[in-house]
Amino acid sequence: MNPTVSPTLNEPVWFRRLLIGVGLAFLGLFLVLPLAAVLTEALRQGLGAYLNALHEPVALAAIKLTLIAAFIAVPLNLVFGVCAAWAIAKFEFRGKSLLITLIDLPFSVSPVIAGLIYVLIFGAQGWFGQWLFEHDVKIIFAVPGIVLATIFVTFPFVARELIPVMEEQGTAEEEAALTLGASGWQTFWRVTLPNIKWGLLYGVILCNARAMGEFGAVSVVSGHIRGETNTLPLHVEILYNEYNFVAAFACASLLALLALVTLAAKSFVEWRGQEQRATVPHLIPAAAPST
Amino acid sequence: MSIIIENVNKHFGGFHALQDVDLNIPTGELVALLGPSGCGKTSLLRIIAGLERPDTGSIRFNGEDATRQHVRERGVGFVFQHYALFHHMTVFDNVAFGLTVRPKAERPGKEEIREKVRELLRLVQLEFVADRYPNQLSGGQRQRIALARALAVEPKVLLLDEPFGALDANVRKELRRWLRRLHDEIHVTSVFVTHDQEEAMEVSSQIVVMNKGRIEQVGAPDEVYERPATAFVSRFLGSVNLFHGRVHSGWAHIGDLKAPAPEGAGLVSGAAAVVHLRPHEIDLATEPAGSIGVARVSSILTVGPMIRIELEREGEGREDGPVEVELTRERYLQAPLALGDRVFIRPRNLRVFAGT
């Protein structure tokens, strides 16, 4: 699997150094520097102020709400993603390409619009606004709206990750399991799931990162009620607008930390998944090594 | 267990993959479904397994209708062309899979499973790989494990889809013989799909020749080779030289030769007829008597014990290409030839078919 560079493509040393240098400078300017800025600003008035900012009841409420939204959105999208990927990769049916397009929709729609959709449907002036008001159900400017918006924007992550993995694997192993007498459920748990687990985990990590970091869509449906409907990203914005820089950057550092953990987890999963894929004998039977 | 297939049709979109297929497979046979790619042989095998549903028709196992039965209830062992081993499980777990997914009440105990798996691995002569993963095995070993896995559930029917297709020539030869012996040992009704006529001849007790979704002929290997029912079967089972002629009241006339062409199968007076001549069923004569044509020697090649001679036709039938003749070394040495020699083609055996 080692990509050996052909000598004709081997650029002179100075050129390679230049390319690497440009790449690193770009990374430093746009990623490392802001990250460092977040941390220095957060710790400007010392560790005590930093911890205090995170201990605020309002900050804790924001953290809690962010976790709740992620805890609901991620498992739902996990189930949906597996179902959709399974249907798309293993069956032929009418409207398949439509389904694929629909799954991609949240990628192409602006998050603000995504939030607005829910306001238009469930808001006071929306389609179901009157009915919801009469039955005392709050969706917009409440937790359900935030969860809905989060689900919408994170919708494609798991399915998108799994479709190529499942398509590559085909259906032979599942068929083998069925001929051996396994039920559909046993086939899924014992054959399909182990085969897709790294792709699935990868999708879940990305999905989770987006769920916790989402700003636009959530902002529209949240109503920014302190301690009630503010997620962590919204809380950061409010603090910043109030010139409470230390607290704003302290909360932002949590999100930055989440990003770093996600990055590390993602790299690890990618590495494991590739390792597994490399050892999978799928479509290379003819060249099987004789031992 | 016997398998009876009646009036099976299968479409894939607009493609008619199987057309009115009827087939009877008696208990204990080792049957080859033979045909070129796209002839429907794999579809038929998958329909027998229950992995595909026929559009019409029925499948009966031992007289019992299995058409609507789910794969899992049919009790078939299926061996896939690309093995389809569970690559995240060890060889042991692969072979044990069929036993461990049984409902609790029917599931054998751990020790019993272990004993059974060991016995199967012994049967396929691969006891020493039990703890390895499929990707640590060679192609031939993988296929044998796939077979052991299929046999673990004690199938009533064993179905193999191009079982040796992905292996290199030597391993394939060895596995063929091994499968033959294994079948003699366990005698389970077996059907395997192949596009290799040599493989079908060597392994099976019955050959089903298929073409374009239909069954062309069913018979023992000797029978389909010696008495092909159609021109397709004759051509598919070995190389043939073609000669064209016409039918006149029960005789096919090709050049100076008259060959009996019994009525039926389109061989009516005035119809076109084609004669198939296998390379080893030809004598080369210096006299025109009984010959089907005349030709010049254009190449002489020694291939092991055989001498392969290529002839350039003279007169009619040039567009049918050169004529290939195979002689044993002994026969050739009785009357050696030189390039450019003029010879008469005298068939020792021939087959007449309707058409061009």
Side-chain angles (χ1 to χ4, degrees):
Chain A
M1 293 298 273
N2 271 332
T4 43
V5 180
S6 102
T8 49
L9 289 178
N10 231 343
E11 305 295 347
V13 177
W14 66 266
F15 189 71
R16 273 186 283 165
R17 294 226 169 113
L18 182 74
L19 279 182
I20 295 168
V22 168
L24 283 180
F26 191 85
L27 268 181
L29 201 62
F30 287 91
L31 287 175
V32 181
L33 201 63
L35 196 62
V38 167
L39 286 176
T40 36
E41 287 299 322
L43 294 167
R44 183 168 291 268
Q45 285 166 23
L47 197 61
Y50 175 83
L51 290 177
N52 275 342
L54 294 181
H55 255 101
E56 284 272 321
V58 191
L60 285 177
I63 293 171
K64 196 174 142 205
L65 182 58
T66 302
L67 291 178
I68 287 173
F71 273 150
I72 298 173
V74 173
L76 279 178
N77 278 330
L78 175 91
V79 173
F80 163 78
V82 172
C83 293
W86 181 291
I88 286 167
K90 315 239 163 177
F91 299 106
E92 288 300 324
F93 55 91
R94 260 164 196 273
K96 183 164 155 173
S97 51
L98 185 71
L99 181 59
I100 297 175
T101 315
L102 280 180
I103 288 174
D104 277 345
L105 191 69
F107 277 154
S108 49
V109 170
S110 156
V112 176
I113 306 295
L116 211 55
I117 294 167
Y118 289 108
V119 173
L120 289 175
I121 297 175
F122 301 116
Q125 317 298 324
W127 291 356
F128 302 115
Q130 193 62 32
W131 188 89
L132 290 171
F133 180 75
E134 280 161 13
H135 292 80
D136 198 27
V137 180
K138 278 192 183 158
I139 292 183
I140 300 304
F141 307 147
V143 177
I146 289 168
V147 172
L148 279 176
T150 308
I151 289 174
F152 183 87
V153 294
T154 54
F155 198 60
F157 285 95
V158 176
R160 265 284 144 205
E161 218 32 72
L162 284 185
I163 289 167
V165 175
M166 282 186 156
E167 274 179 344
E168 188 198 337
Q169 280 168 352
T171 49
E173 284 186 41
E174 277 89 2
E175 285 181 344
L178 289 177
T179 61
L180 290 168
S183 66
W185 202 235
Q186 284 171 321
T187 304
F188 177 76
W189 281 109
R190 300 196 41 187
V191 177
T192 308
L193 200 60
N195 277 340
I196 60 169
K197 66 178 174 208
W198 293 111
L200 186 63
L201 203 56
Y202 186 76
V204 164
I205 290 168
L206 290 183
C207 180
N208 181 58
R210 182 69 192 269
M212 292 189 172
E214 176 56 24
F215 180 84
V218 171
S219 172
V220 176
V221 295
S222 134
H224 305 274
I225 307 164
R226 272 195 177 211
E228 279 183 41
T229 62
N230 269 346
T231 60
L232 205 49
L234 300 181
H235 187 59
V236 172
E237 192 210 14
I238 290 174
L239 291 172
Y240 187 84
N241 287 343
E242 290 168 349
Y243 306 105
N244 191 350
F245 294 133
V246 169
F249 281 109
C251 291
S253 73
L254 280 187
L255 288 171
L257 186 72
L258 170 74
L260 289 178
V261 170
T262 302
L263 205 66
K266 180 174 112 55
S267 309
F268 175 73
V269 168
E270 223 167 357
W271 169 68
R272 283 301 310 261
Q274 256 167 19
E275 200 169 61
Q276 188 195 32
R277 213 162 303 165
T279 55
V280 170
H282 301 311
L283 302 168
I284 40 164
S290 25
T291 42
Chain B
M1 192 168 69
S2 69
I3 308 170
I4 296 171
I5 297 156
E6 266 174 354
N7 189 31
V8 162
N9 277 277
K10 177 75 183 171
H11 290 81
F12 291 106
F15 178 60
H16 203 165
L18 290 173
Q19 306 181 27
D20 308 321
V21 170
D22 291 298
L23 182 63
N24 200 336
I25 299 171
T27 308
E29 294 277 345
L30 176 49
V31 175
L33 299 180
L34 174 68
S37 60
C39 73
K41 54 193 193 297
T42 295
S43 301
L44 184 57
L45 191 79
R46 290 172 62 86
I47 285 175
I48 297 173
L51 291 168
E52 304 277 357
R53 235 158 233 259
D55 299 339
T56 69
S58 66
I59 312 290
R60 279 184 287 154
F61 287 166
N62 262 354
E64 240 174 88
D65 189 11
T67 320
R68 300 278 145 215
Q69 241 177 12
H70 193 272
V71 209
R72 142 175 17 105
E73 286 138 24
R74 288 201 191 185
V76 298
F78 202 100
V79 176
F80 294 80
Q81 182 178 5
H82 297 308
Y83 328 121
L85 291 175
F86 307 127
H87 59 259
H88 60 282
M89 295 182 199
T90 61
V91 165
F92 181 93
D93 290 336
N94 263 281
V95 178
F97 186 87
L99 299 172
T100 56
V101 293
R102 286 195 184 161
K104 259 217 169 87
E106 300 162 31
R107 197 184 309 158
K110 267 209 168 125
E111 196 46 51
E112 206 177 321
I113 290 181
R114 192 168 305 146
E115 195 40 55
K116 175 96 196 178
V117 172
R118 215 172 283 149
E119 185 190 312
L120 284 161
L121 288 178
R122 211 173 299 138
L123 183 71
V124 299
Q125 298 152 9
L126 284 172
E127 272 176 292
F128 58 99
V129 301
D131 296 326
R132 292 196 205 161
Y133 284 88
N135 59 15
Q136 294 166 310
L137 305 180
S138 71
Q141 289 174 332
R142 281 181 211 170
Q143 197 55 292
R144 281 190 279 165
I145 294 302
L147 197 60
R149 181 179 69 175
L151 291 173
V153 292
E154 289 171 10
K156 293 171 281 179
V157 175
L158 188 61
L159 305 170
L160 307 104
D161 184 9
E162 301 249 4
F164 314 125
L167 302 169
D168 57 39
N170 281 336
V171 183
R172 201 179 323 176
K173 270 223 161 97
E174 193 190 308
L175 272 190
R176 278 182 201 164
R177 249 173 271 140
W178 177 81
L179 179 65
R180 177 80 251 185
R181 276 204 309 272
L182 184 79
H183 184 261
D184 291 342
E185 232 172 280
I186 58 176
H187 269 302
V188 57
T189 309
S190 306
V191 183
F192 78 102
V193 157
T194 180
H195 60 262
D196 181 342
Q197 76 278 5
E198 206 185 304
E199 187 169 296
M201 300 265 193
E202 202 177 315
V203 178
S204 64
S205 56
Q206 288 276 309
I207 295 183
V208 178
V209 186
M210 295 184 66
N211 183 33
K212 293 184 180 156
R214 291 178 184 279
I215 291 179
E216 296 265 337
Q217 190 176 3
V218 181
D222 270 358
E223 196 181 329
V224 289
Y225 186 79
E226 292 298 333
R227 289 187 295 282
T230 64
F232 173 83
V233 175
S234 167
R235 289 179 81 151
F236 195 73
L237 287 181
S239 49
V240 287
N241 296 296
L242 304 185
F243 294 86
H244 289 97
R246 225 152 249 298
V247 181
H248 282 295
S249 45
W251 291 89
H253 296 254
I254 309 104
D256 298 332
L257 187 92
K258 269 171 51 170
E263 290 270 336
L267 288 170
V268 290
S269 269
V274 60
V275 165
H276 285 192
L277 229 60
R278 295 212 188 276
H280 64 271
E281 295 173 339
I282 293 175
D283 279 338
L284 298 178
T286 47
E287 302 295 320
S291 80
I292 199 167
V294 61
R296 277 186 193 285
V297 177
S298 61
S299 95
I300 301 172
L301 219 72
T302 309
V303 184
M306 303 300 285
I307 312 293
R308 197 172 289 164
I309 300 164
E310 209 174 88
L311 305 175
E312 204 70 60
R313 302 188 206 213
E314 286 187 351
E316 274 181 76
R318 298 187 77 136
E319 64 281 1
D320 288 328
V323 176
E324 272 186 40
V325 182
E326 264 181 22
L327 298 177
T328 60
R329 192 182 287 269
E330 290 80 6
R331 281 173 64 86
Y332 174 74
L333 288 176
Q334 282 165 17
L337 295 163
L339 288 181
D341 278 359
R342 196 153 177 272
V343 289
F344 292 93
I345 302 164
R346 192 185 288 167
R348 273 187 287 142
N349 189 5
L350 53 71
R351 293 164 197 89
V352 182
F353 300 102
T356 48

